[in-house]
């Protein structure tokens, strides 16, 4: 399904900046930033453009899309897959994106447990029988904390000279503000939600009475969710896409990240030790203990080495850098949480001293690099 193609055509006469479909998605994004839901489902997700925008909201861990038209979802669903950069720098949050083929008139357990459900320009595409079932599926069964519903405001249509019946040939109805609000208030009352009305696409000056071009209802559930146990388990939807993003919550990616960070930090410290050795020559008194001076180190990590007054030392061809020092570096510390976890993650992967207390790096490599 195109993005209300005709609506965009008509709105060239009344120009919305940014375009109306973008304003609707931005509205949802702002709502996500305000309420920070972890699990978001977009019903009638069409070409997944809203999902593509929402995957960058760092609070979201589960994203699901549902549409009755599989082909429109499939067209661009590959754009929801992780990119090479997601593997190179896995995120701290976990993220799973799933697309389902099915109708909002049917219940499926895969839609349970969501915090926010969005229905952007969906309801006006529903047949009468589907619209009748829709409140029970969304508010009764899915019962998320927040539901957002947007739909065209028919009172705005006279401002579009080209609109004779509806803004889009697939629309089954277009409601005026009173019709939408009475349906929304009745739905909210039945399922114990409150609802607030707003919209996007301001009317021209002097015509404020017609209201927003797109009317929006934001429904908030009044009570904590109950009755989950009696919900049916039979699946009605077909999963057409699933992507699990690499995340540092997955031990495999965390281990890689920690090993890289430990080696990187150790290399920085070693580099500064080698600079000091050049400065002090072969005086054994001075080379046995690293006493860095601030002047020589301008970069951030250099300063950290100084602050931590590292107890690293050179023995033969090897630099010993205590794990405790490496652990005190912010990024290593944040990744591992505890010293024990650091030891566990690098065990067998990084060369350590006999007692396991220090990372050992060879000096010769440094000389080769130089
Ligand atoms: N939400 C999209 C556009 C929606 S257009 C956006 O923000 O841009 C309406 C979409 O609802 C279409 O993709 C259509 O296939 C889908 N749809 C229509 N009836 C449906 C139903 N019963 N269940 C689920 N999706 C439906």
């Amino acid at each position: 399904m195109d993005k209300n193609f005709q609506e965009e055509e008509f709105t060239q006469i009344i120009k919305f900046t940014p375009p109306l479909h973008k304003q609707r998605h931005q509205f949802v994004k702002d709502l996500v930033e305000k309420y920070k839901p972890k699990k978001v489902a977009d019903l009638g997700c069409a070409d997944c453009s809203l999902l593509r925008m929402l995957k960058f909201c760092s609070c979201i861990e589960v994203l699901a899309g549902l549409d009755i038209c599989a082909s429109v979802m499939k067209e661009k669903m590959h754009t929801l897959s992780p990119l090479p950069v997601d593997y190179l720098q896995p995120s701290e949050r976990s993220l799973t994106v799933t697309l389902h083929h099915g109708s909002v008139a049917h219940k499926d357990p895969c839609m349970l447990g969501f915090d926010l459900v969005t229905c952007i320009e969906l309801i006006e595409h529903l047949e009468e029988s589907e619209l009748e079932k829709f409140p029970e599926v969304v508010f009764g069964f899915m019962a998320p904390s927040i539901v957002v519903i947007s739909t065209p405001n028919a009172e705005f249509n006279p401002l579009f000279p080209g609109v004779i019946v509806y803004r889009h040939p697939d629309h089954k109805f277009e409601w005026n503000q009173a019709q939408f609000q009475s349906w929304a208030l009745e739905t909210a009352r039945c399922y114990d939600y409150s609802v607030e009305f707003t919209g996007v696409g301001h009317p021209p000056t002097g015509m404020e009475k017609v209201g927003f071009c797109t009317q929006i209802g934001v429904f908030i559930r009044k009570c904590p969710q109950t009755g989950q146990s009696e919900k049916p388990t039979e699946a009605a939807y077909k999963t057409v896409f699933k992507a699990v993003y690499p995340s540092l919550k997955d031990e495999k990616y965390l281990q890689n990240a920690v090993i890289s960070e430990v080696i990187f930090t150790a290399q920085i410290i070693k580099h500064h030790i080698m600079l000091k050795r050049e400065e002090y020559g072969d005086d054994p008194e001075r080379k046995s203990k690293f006493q860095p001076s601030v002047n020589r180190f301008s970069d951030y990590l250099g300063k950290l080495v100084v602050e931590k007054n590292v107890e690293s030392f050179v023995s033969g061809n090897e630099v010993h850098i205590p794990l405790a020092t490496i652990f005190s570096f912010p990024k290593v510390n944040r990744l591992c949480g505890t010293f024990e976890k650091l030891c566990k993650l690098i065990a067998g992967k990084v060369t350590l001293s006999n007692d396991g207390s220090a990372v050992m790096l060879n000096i010769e490599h440094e000389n080769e690099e130089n």
Side-chain angles (χ1 to χ4, degrees):
M1 182 76 47
D2 55 77
K3 228 178 264 145
N4 281 318
F5 168 73
Q6 299 210 341
E7 180 190 80
E8 294 300 334
E9 252 188 5
F10 298 136
T11 52
Q12 282 174 12
I13 298 145
I14 292 179
K15 207 166 165 42
F16 291 109
T17 323
L20 212 50
H21 69 273
K22 288 205 173 142
Q23 290 193 38
R24 288 191 285 260
H25 291 180
Q26 187 60 45
F27 179 89
V28 173
K29 191 166 178 248
D30 293 344
L31 210 67
V32 165
E33 269 149 24
K34 180 173 173 195
Y35 291 101
K36 309 235 174 295
K38 278 191 177 172
K39 298 183 177 189
V40 179
D42 184 28
L43 311 184
C45 63
D47 65 357
C48 310
S49 52
L50 178 58
L51 296 170
R52 238 181 334 273
M53 185 181 197
L54 295 181
K55 84 174 193 166
F56 295 102
C57 296
S58 59
C59 60
I60 297 177
E61 295 181 0
V62 175
L63 259 184
L66 171 73
D67 205 288
I68 201 163
C69 180
S71 57
V72 73
M73 273 192 296
K74 284 180 178 172
E75 241 170 67
K76 290 192 187 160
M77 69 184 180
H78 61 275
T79 59
L80 292 170
S81 298
L83 300 168
V85 67
D86 295 312
Y87 289 96
L88 287 170
Q89 276 189 315
S91 160
E92 286 187 30
R93 59 134 175 196
S94 59
L95 175 63
T96 304
V97 185
T98 318
L99 296 179
H100 305 280
H101 176 216
S103 169
V104 291
H106 299 135
K107 299 173 182 175
D108 187 301
C110 73
M111 282 292 154
L112 292 174
F114 284 86
D115 305 308
L116 168 66
V117 168
T118 59
C119 310
I120 304 303
E121 306 298 273
L122 164 71
I123 58 169
E124 66 276 10
H125 290 265
L126 302 180
E127 301 285 354
E128 207 178 323
S129 62
E130 295 174 314
L131 185 68
E132 254 170 45
K133 292 180 187 140
F134 173 84
E136 172 51 25
V137 174
V138 175
F139 295 91
F141 176 73
M142 298 183 194
S145 315
I146 309 168
V147 180
V148 189
I149 297 181
S150 85
T151 194
N153 167 16
E155 284 162 83
F156 206 100
N157 290 354
L159 302 181
F160 298 138
V163 177
I164 296 158
V165 188
Y166 298 138
R167 293 182 201 176
H168 191 284
D170 189 52
H171 287 182
K172 310 298 186 295
F173 60 89
E174 285 177 3
W175 281 335
N176 62 31
Q177 295 174 86
Q179 286 169 314
F180 176 55
Q181 293 184 13
S182 86
W183 174 86
L185 285 166
E186 177 57 14
T187 303
R189 192 192 58 75
C190 267
Y191 296 96
D192 215 14
Y193 279 73
S194 63
V195 56
E196 280 189 10
F197 300 101
T198 176
V200 292
H202 284 275
T205 317
M207 309 198 76
E208 287 77 8
K209 216 170 67 258
V210 301
F212 291 106
C213 187
T214 295
Q215 42 186 343
I216 299 177
V218 179
F219 301 74
I220 312 265
R221 202 183 57 222
K222 287 184 183 163
C223 307
Q225 207 173 12
T226 52
Q228 192 93 358
S229 53
E230 49 192 71
K231 301 204 161 159
T233 49
E234 227 171 277
Y237 304 159
K238 187 170 170 242
T239 303
V240 292
F241 174 88
K242 183 169 180 174
V244 179
Y245 276 66
S247 153
L248 296 176
K249 290 216 168 94
D250 180 336
E251 190 95 349
K252 164 176 92 195
Y253 293 109
L254 176 66
Q255 184 175 44
N256 283 341
V258 167
I259 292 168
S260 309
E261 200 55 35
V262 163
I263 292 172
F264 175 71
T265 308
Q267 294 280 12
I268 296 272
I269 297 172
K270 182 184 94 168
H271 186 69
H272 289 304
I273 291 173
M274 301 319 289
L275 283 176
K276 295 316 305 175
R277 269 169 64 92
E278 273 171 33
E279 200 172 281
Y280 294 127
D282 261 354
D283 179 347
E285 274 296 296
R286 305 182 95 163
K287 88 175 178 188
S288 63
K289 277 265 154 95
F290 176 49
Q291 302 284 325
S293 67
V294 182
N295 306 349
R296 279 295 292 267
F297 309 135
S298 53
D299 64 328
Y300 172 68
L301 283 167
K303 282 200 192 98
L304 272 174
V305 175
V306 173
E307 274 165 25
K308 294 179 189 325
N309 195 14
V310 287
E311 294 281 319
S312 307
F313 62 89
V314 179
S315 159
N317 269 345
E318 264 145 359
V319 188
H320 290 233
I321 301 144
L323 271 183
T325 304
I326 293 176
F327 181 64
S328 68
F329 277 66
K331 190 154 178 207
V332 179
N333 194 287
R334 193 163 43 84
L335 283 171
C336 303
T338 65
F339 187 69
E340 290 67 35
K341 182 96 189 190
L342 166 66
C343 297
K344 187 178 158 229
L345 288 170
I346 64 167
K349 304 282 182 190
V350 176
T351 312
L352 297 178
S353 56
N354 286 343
D355 66 357
S357 70
V359 170
M360 299 214 299
L361 291 180
N362 204 300
I363 295 175
E364 274 160 12
H365 291 159
E366 173 91 4
N367 294 338
E368 279 164 22
E369 280 160 24
N370 295 340

